[in-house]
Amino acid sequence: MANVTTDKYKYLDGFTIHDCCVAAEGYYAVSVEEILDEEKYDYYTSRGESRLAVYNSARQEDGGPAIWGGMRWGRHSFFNTRLVNTEPKECLMMDDAGQGYYLGLGDNKFAEKQLSPKTRFHQLAKVDDQVYGVGWGRDVFKRLGPEQWECISTEIKAPSGNGCGFEDMDGFSKNDLYAVGGTNDIWHFDGEKWRYIDVCDEQMLPLSVCCAEDGYVYIGCAWGIVLRGRGEEWDVFHTDKNICLPAGRLAIARYVCVFRLVEQK
């Protein structure tokens, strides 16, 4: 059961971050999980408390510590959460078990019915005003509304146990989408058909993708590989896996540091 919490200055203390999103200018959402002692923690059967935290710059006190608020759930309520912005200052949170929670303005807050085992997402994405979910077996689903999803990748679906599937997706428009994951499993969707992109012969594990304002697609892979290109032309760089585009600048995150791409370096 979700509850409002009031420890606004220490809301994230003792928690690890699973995902975050920008819900509007100066308005951020973060999904977190309580860090348990080793003897209390089990990956599958004993997880910590879950929280969906919100930071609103308009409510901050001048010179004071950051103020966070949001919703919280008891231990083992959610299992590895991810977030996506839906409407201004609203977001959807989902986990590996197909559970969802919609955090909207005012009373527009509700738990969504758990999705079927055939509809589970590794990541959520938003392109233009459309929300998508991607997963193994090359699953790509389009969100039609609360608890309503439509598969748009039927033609390329594959058994989930053969190393095929998607970890992330982004796009320039609904007719120009890129989905990545698996082993060299990189696909483009033109609004009607999916097309496999053979980037290079080197074995790669794509983990994240960003369609940037400079017109390029950036794909972060394991082993420090970053791909940059579009269509059939691609270049290879070496950093590490998670990428995003704050303020029009490409940022690439490792476990211990963050890089920014400056003049192609």
Side-chain angles (χ1 to χ4, degrees):
M1 180 69 179
N3 295 295
V4 177
T5 187
T6 57
D7 52 347
K8 59 184 181 180
Y9 299 117
K10 299 181 179 181
Y11 197 81
L12 302 180
D13 288 4
F15 285 74
T16 184
I17 295 175
H18 281 302
D19 202 4
C20 62
C21 72
V22 179
E25 184 177 355
Y27 196 98
Y28 313 109
V30 180
S31 63
V32 300
E33 180 183 328
E34 181 185 11
I35 300 172
L36 297 179
D37 293 336
E38 185 175 350
E39 61 270 18
K40 295 180 180 179
Y41 176 85
D42 182 87
Y43 187 84
Y44 293 103
T45 62
S46 182
R47 303 292 287 261
E49 175 184 324
S50 295
R51 294 187 179 185
L52 177 50
V54 173
Y55 174 95
N56 185 351
S57 61
R59 296 184 178 179
Q60 301 306 304
E61 300 169 350
D62 291 341
I67 297 174
W68 289 83
M71 310 299 293
R72 65 182 182 185
W73 294 263
R75 287 184 54 187
H76 210 68
S77 297
F78 287 92
F79 190 80
N80 299 337
T81 52
R82 69 274 299 147
L83 291 172
V84 65
N85 168 236
T86 52
E87 305 289 340
K89 297 186 178 181
E90 299 190 355
C91 63
L92 172 69
M93 180 178 76
M94 299 198 72
D95 73 354
D96 284 352
Q99 301 179 108
Y101 187 83
Y102 192 87
L103 182 65
L105 295 173
D107 294 331
N108 190 26
K109 300 175 178 64
F110 54 90
E112 296 203 350
K113 182 180 178 180
Q114 186 173 5
L115 299 176
S116 74
K118 295 182 179 180
T119 312
R120 301 292 169 83
F121 306 134
H122 280 292
Q123 188 57 278
L124 301 172
K126 183 181 179 183
V127 179
D128 291 335
D129 293 326
Q130 180 63 58
V131 171
Y132 299 90
V134 298
W136 285 114
R138 298 194 186 122
D139 282 340
V140 179
F141 283 81
K142 178 171 66 175
R143 181 175 169 88
L144 305 179
E147 303 173 2
Q148 299 180 50
W149 298 83
E150 176 188 10
C151 182
I152 63 170
S153 61
T154 304
E155 65 187 87
I156 62 170
K157 285 176 67 66
S160 58
N162 66 355
C164 296
F166 297 140
E167 294 277 0
D168 197 13
M169 191 184 81
D170 199 9
F172 296 102
S173 72
K174 64 181 181 180
N175 297 324
D176 195 2
L177 303 175
Y178 288 82
V180 306
T183 303
N184 295 58
D185 213 17
I186 301 173
W187 291 77
H188 176 259
F189 184 62
D190 65 5
E192 295 184 1
K193 294 183 178 181
W194 289 90
R195 178 176 60 87
Y196 175 72
I197 301 176
D198 188 4
V199 173
C200 65
D201 295 332
E202 182 178 358
Q203 181 172 300
M204 300 172 297
L205 293 177
L207 298 170
S208 58
V209 58
C210 174
C211 293
E213 294 176 5
D214 62 4
Y216 285 109
V217 180
Y218 293 85
I219 300 174
C221 308
W223 310 309
I225 299 173
V226 171
L227 309 173
R228 184 192 67 180
R230 193 168 180 175
E232 302 300 330
E233 298 183 5
W234 295 83
D235 296 315
V236 180
F237 300 90
H238 290 269
T239 54
D240 209 350
K241 73 173 189 180
N242 294 318
I243 53 180
C244 63
L245 193 71
R249 297 180 178 180
L250 186 76
I252 302 168
R254 303 185 65 172
Y255 291 109
V256 295
C257 56
V258 176
F259 292 94
R260 190 179 71 189
L261 184 67
V262 179
E263 296 181 353
Q264 317 308 321
K265 297 179 180 181

